[in-house]
Amino acid sequence: MSRETALPSVESTLHGNILVLTLNNPPVNALGVEVRRGLLAAIDSATDNPAVAAILLVGAGRHFCGGADIREFGKTPQAPTLPAVVKHIEDSPKPVVAAIQGVALGGGLEVALAAHYRLALDGARLGLPEVLLGLLPGAGGTQRLPRLIGAKAALDLMLSGRHVNAREALELQLVDRLADADDALAAGLAYTRELLSSQAGVRRTRDARALGDQPLQREQINAAREQLAHKSKGLLSPHSIIRAVEAALDQPFEQGLQEERRLFLECLDSPQRAGLVHAFFAEREVLKAPETRIAQPRPIEQVAVVGGGTMGAGIAVSALDAGLRVTMIERDQQALDRGRGNVEKVYDGLIEKGRLDAAGKAATLARFSASLDYQDLAQADLVIEAVFEDMAAKQAVFKELDRVCKPGAVLASNTSYLDINAIADSVSRPADVIGLHFFSPANIMKLLEIVVPAKVAADVVATAFELARKLRKVPVRAGVCDGFIGNRILAVYRQAADHMMEDGASPYQIDQALRDFGFPMGPFQVADLAGGDIGWATRKRKAATRDPAARYVQIADRLCERGWFGQKTGRGYYLYAQGPRSASQDPEVLAIIEAERARAGITPRTFSPSEILRRYMAAMINEGANVVHEGIALRPLDVDITFIHGYGFPRYRGGPLKYADQYGLPQVLADIREFAEEDPRFWKPSPLLVELVDRGTDFDSLNHAD
Ligand code: 3HC
Ligand code: NAI
């Protein structure tokens, strides 16, 4: 074995007559410019070196390759491009073998597809997830993959972005060989030697014949296009993927590559790509809370929930699904039976859908117990309180927890709005108290706001982040205030929507404008889903402290007074004559709105969809800026992730503050100032927004400040 010169990101080592090229760019061997240069040079030197009979590509560390370097997107491109490198690999006159351990994703799989033979180790995961970043495979993937595995399977991989395991990759003929080994180098060398001894030569994927049956392939492409019309509303790159595969069918390879390149660059330039890449990095940044850097999490095995209603049951299911043991406490036997029933219902639903069997349910519920006795929480590592939204009720629960829980147990509240400092101060161990704000349904929604009160210990915060990891939630660190990050901002843009409704827009127009923007539901649909009674109770509670000069729209109160709480009562803003899924517009609601306008002395005016959006987003962005300004959110990206994972904000727009950057902060500020002319009390520009505009910078600049 002898070492050759190489650029540092690609190590080049001769093993007998096999040149091993090791991608070495931690943590995932992304194909940054140094790696691309290294690969190109190494392939050239292998071609010129008579001692080399074959080339083996492997990745250093855990992974073969995580794809193109996402951090380079949007920056000035540097040669060589990845398509050029990939072409070089495929054109190698000496056989190239890729041995895949860990992941081969995106450009990483495209490199492997350009190799002449592919071996996957057990545990390998392969995929083309570019669509999740608003892109299409741009290094020949859209042309090689259909030729290798057919249009249908290729479209499935590229449109879903899903990862396939090694076995499925073999079944799809995406790889040629599996190795039940954990050393890619050894397995790869053995396979390459075998290929050499059987005189296997160069075999280019571009010459593969899986697109042979043209009419069938075209049918499959059409079917994918039809499905897409229903599924990926508003997204650009899935359509580009289909067009690229069509080019693979219709055009010679080189022309297909050109079409792929054109479509790739179009996607690369799109705001959708910028939004999705922002979301990708933001999801990783939110994990890096200051406390997680300085403290180790406490061990969590035994979890308890107090309250088995909507949230308590959902949280219990989430913890059970993560393999934890869960005890539920309720206030009386009837409520306890209902709480247990709420948990069982989730698993029965899965059985009905064929996604679980009775034995699976029994095995999960074996880790679940329900009790009326707080003493049963003595060994709990973490208790999550989810009783009624009432400070006295919560403090009474915490008093019990303080009495029975072992030292070091984490005591959490799922409160939506209440002051967690006041809860913490009511017990003898405030350092153990934290907010864990799950979203409904708690076993499905990804967001977990980790609300950090003044006296909490750093390791309790770290434990909350570790819990989020175990539960597969997306955690966002939030400070204490009324509504934390999400509900505080929601309260403001909901008011903006109510103002528009009273001024002349119907709730149906407003919902439509927001669905067209990309939200799955508009705010009035959401209100009907959540139940109007909860907001009504909050409004009544706050009535005494409300600023009497502030505008207050009473339409929601009029609906609630009639018992119209939304889906659960069969009517709210919408009528649900045929059950929760059958929403129709309600002329009686429109009449109530008319009457309220008249009562308030308002002459209704019309609103265009773009004005609705402008006002709604300005309210959301402005309060988002306040939340960052006050340190409730650490950075703008924390607001973005909160809205993407908790409030249905379209991911491809990157979150409200990323959207604000794209829309232009000076324009947001101008909008707010324009609206303030009618209602200066409601529309007060956030000091942070003003400051960013004055400095000529954007929210994103704060995401990168240390
Ligand atoms: N480029 C740059 N950085 C990347 C990266 C990439 N392709 N993939 C991961 N990273 C970074 C992450 O940002 C993170 O950085 P941080 O530590 O500073 O936060 C670090 O690598 C580790 O990533 P994860 O925390 O996600 O580690 P995991 O072990 O959980 O997951 C992974 C590893 C499965 C590779 C996951 O990171 C992933 O899915 N990466 C994205 C893969 C992808 O989308 N590739 C396609 C890129 S587009 C492309 O290839 C275009 C081509 O067709 C031309
Ligand atoms: P819920 O009314 O469905 O359930 C509350 C449960 O707590 C009831 O089953 C009740 O019997 C039980 N309970 C009341 N007092 C108790 C006590 N002293 N000991 C034991 N159990 C007691 O309410 P929901 O919706 O589950 O809300 C619970 C908490 O979660 C509230 O603080 C709420 O603000 C918060 N939350 C609610 C969300 C939602 O969408 N419903 C979302 C996020 C947080």
Side-chain angles (χ1 to χ4, degrees):
M1 184 175 99
S2 70
R3 248 187 145 68
E4 301 228 327
T5 50
L7 292 161
S9 305
V10 177
E11 262 184 70
S12 174
T13 319
L14 203 53
H15 291 250
N17 58 354
I18 301 171
L19 186 71
V20 176
L21 303 183
T22 307
L23 308 183
N24 185 12
N25 184 19
V28 303
N29 301 325
L31 296 155
V33 63
E34 292 303 325
V35 177
R36 299 198 300 274
R37 281 185 190 144
L39 267 174
L40 206 67
I43 297 276
D44 279 344
S45 90
T47 305
D48 296 342
N49 185 346
V52 173
I55 300 165
L56 173 64
L57 297 174
V58 294
R62 285 198 300 137
H63 297 298
F64 177 71
C65 176
D69 187 339
I70 302 171
R71 287 176 205 279
E72 287 183 1
F73 295 155
K75 300 194 180 141
T76 314
Q78 283 182 284
T81 63
L82 191 56
V85 174
V86 159
K87 179 171 167 22
H88 224 67
I89 294 172
E90 192 170 61
D91 287 346
S92 161
K94 299 179 181 175
V96 183
V97 180
I100 299 167
Q101 92 280 20
V103 301
L105 296 175
L109 181 55
E110 290 173 298
V111 164
L113 284 172
H116 305 130
Y117 300 91
R118 284 163 293 282
L119 165 86
L121 264 59
D122 257 5
R125 287 185 290 141
L126 294 78
L128 292 173
E130 285 87 344
V131 70
L132 305 176
L133 300 173
L135 289 169
L136 62 150
T142 66
Q143 304 304 298
R144 289 192 181 86
L145 192 63
R147 284 176 163 81
L148 189 64
I149 66 174
K152 186 166 189 241
L155 281 168
D156 166 43
L157 286 193
M158 291 191 279
L159 291 174
S160 68
R162 74 186 177 91
H163 301 177
V164 299
N165 63 27
R167 184 148 302 283
E168 188 180 352
L170 184 71
E171 280 161 14
L172 287 169
Q173 301 186 353
L174 187 54
V175 299
D176 305 290
R177 176 72 71 93
L178 291 192
D180 181 11
D182 49 19
D183 181 349
L185 177 62
L189 282 172
Y191 182 42
T192 311
R193 281 189 200 110
E194 192 187 311
L195 288 165
L196 284 175
S197 66
S198 66
Q199 315 261 302
V202 162
R203 190 195 60 169
R204 298 183 310 180
T205 306
R206 72 167 79 165
D207 300 326
R209 310 284 312 157
L211 285 177
D213 184 349
Q214 290 244 348
L216 175 69
Q217 307 293 321
R218 191 167 310 281
E219 218 173 273
Q220 291 170 344
I221 292 172
N222 290 340
R225 184 167 275 141
E226 211 158 285
Q227 267 187 356
L228 199 61
H230 303 294
K231 264 196 348 208
S232 306
K233 238 182 43 177
L235 287 175
L236 170 71
S237 78
H239 296 278
S240 306
I241 288 171
I242 295 188
R243 272 157 64 192
V245 173
E246 217 163 28
L249 192 65
D250 293 339
Q251 297 175 21
F253 183 72
E254 291 298 340
Q255 268 170 270
L257 279 184
Q258 280 170 25
E259 178 65 355
E260 176 193 87
R261 186 76 185 151
R262 188 186 69 75
L263 292 164
F264 179 80
L265 293 177
E266 194 177 277
C267 287
L268 193 63
D269 266 350
S270 77
Q272 294 190 355
R273 192 278 304 156
L276 287 165
V277 166
H278 173 73
F280 174 87
F281 285 120
E283 273 163 0
R284 283 155 180 81
E285 284 307 309
V286 289
L287 306 175
K288 300 171 189 164
E291 293 86 353
T292 62
R293 296 175 203 258
I294 57 166
Q296 288 302 313
R298 299 179 186 175
I300 298 286
E301 295 294 335
Q302 172 70 50
V303 174
V305 290
V306 183
T310 310
M311 294 309 291
I315 295 166
V317 169
S318 182
L320 287 169
D321 288 347
L324 297 165
R325 280 180 289 128
V326 179
T327 303
M328 175 185 281
I329 295 282
E330 261 288 356
R331 55 189 169 142
D332 56 40
Q333 191 58 47
Q334 205 186 358
L336 192 62
D337 293 343
R338 206 173 44 232
R340 180 190 279 280
N342 287 342
V343 170
E344 290 207 26
K345 214 160 46 191
V346 174
Y347 294 107
D348 291 339
L350 292 179
I351 292 176
E352 244 169 61
K353 287 183 197 138
R355 282 162 49 192
L356 185 74
D357 58 19
K361 175 183 163 186
T364 301
L365 289 182
R367 285 184 278 105
F368 178 72
S369 61
S371 166
L372 295 173
D373 186 356
Y374 274 89
Q375 213 54 53
D376 289 342
L377 304 189
Q379 290 313 311
D381 302 307
L382 162 69
V383 185
I384 304 170
E385 165 278 311
V387 304
F388 301 135
E389 184 74 345
D390 175 82
M391 182 56 91
K394 292 196 187 282
Q395 284 181 337
V397 168
F398 271 78
K399 197 166 166 222
E400 287 299 291
L401 300 180
D402 200 10
R403 188 174 61 78
V404 300
C405 290
K406 66 182 181 188
V410 173
L411 310 181
S413 173
N414 182 48
T415 179
S416 308
Y417 291 95
L418 298 176
D419 180 358
I420 300 178
N421 284 319
I423 298 176
D425 284 338
S426 72
V427 296
S428 68
R429 34 175 142 175
D432 294 333
V433 176
I434 194 163
L436 289 178
H437 186 215
F438 290 80
F439 285 68
S440 179
N443 56 316
I444 305 225
M445 292 294 287
K446 285 274 166 239
L447 181 64
L448 177 62
E449 271 181 305
I450 293 178
V451 190
V452 178
K455 294 182 185 159
V456 68
D459 65 344
V460 170
V461 181
T463 308
F465 275 87
E466 176 59 16
L467 176 78
R469 197 189 61 75
K470 281 196 174 150
L471 303 190
R472 297 164 162 267
K473 300 288 181 203
V474 179
V476 173
R477 185 190 189 282
V480 178
C481 68
D482 194 6
F484 318 127
I485 298 178
N487 283 347
R488 170 168 163 180
I489 298 172
L490 164 81
V492 176
Y493 66 78
R494 263 311 312 255
Q495 282 182 57
D498 284 348
H499 293 173
M500 287 190 274
M501 176 164 63
E502 198 175 52
D503 287 340
S506 85
Y508 315 120
Q509 273 177 297
I510 296 172
D511 282 350
Q512 184 65 50
L514 289 150
R515 284 198 303 273
D516 290 347
F517 178 76
F519 281 96
M521 286 190 227
F524 297 100
Q525 289 174 287
V526 172
D528 275 2
L529 178 68
D533 47 336
I534 299 173
W536 194 29
T538 311
R539 290 196 297 281
K540 283 195 266 192
R541 199 175 60 232
K542 292 186 178 168
T545 52
R546 191 181 302 128
D547 175 0
R551 183 172 177 184
Y552 179 71
V553 176
Q554 299 182 26
I555 296 167
D557 295 345
R558 294 297 91 80
L559 301 189
C560 290
E561 284 154 13
R562 289 168 168 79
W564 298 355
F565 294 147
Q567 292 192 6
K568 62 182 167 191
T569 56
R571 72 195 296 182
Y573 290 96
Y574 292 80
L575 255 180
Y576 301 91
Q578 263 87 48
R581 285 175 189 275
S582 70
S584 64
Q585 301 191 3
D586 186 345
E588 283 187 58
V589 167
L590 294 175
I592 292 168
I593 296 171
E594 275 300 332
E596 279 302 304
R597 287 173 187 153
R599 191 194 52 74
I602 290 167
T603 312
R605 67 179 182 88
T606 54
F607 282 80
S608 67
S610 76
E611 182 177 2
I612 291 172
L613 192 64
R614 227 156 45 93
R615 286 176 176 268
Y616 195 82
M617 290 311 301
M620 191 184 295
I621 293 162
N622 200 48
E623 195 59 11
N626 282 332
V627 156
V628 176
H629 185 60
E630 292 171 24
I632 298 298
L634 288 176
R635 299 145 299 191
L637 64 84
D638 297 272
V639 174
D640 288 336
I641 291 301
T642 300
F643 275 82
I644 290 173
H645 288 290
Y647 297 81
F649 196 95
R651 184 182 174 86
Y652 66 84
R653 295 191 190 272
L657 300 186
K658 178 68 183 177
Y659 170 77
D661 282 351
Q662 293 186 336
Y663 181 77
L665 298 195
Q667 188 55 51
V668 177
L669 186 57
D671 287 350
I672 291 170
R673 288 186 169 145
E674 178 193 322
F675 306 147
E677 284 172 20
E678 313 155 1
D679 186 353
R681 195 174 291 270
F682 181 75
W683 293 104
K684 289 194 194 97
S686 163
L688 178 61
L689 181 61
V690 174
E691 184 196 322
L692 292 174
V693 171
D694 282 350
R695 285 179 22 216
T697 182
D698 58 10
F699 283 117
D700 200 40
S701 64
L702 305 177
N703 289 329
H704 308 291
D706 247 350

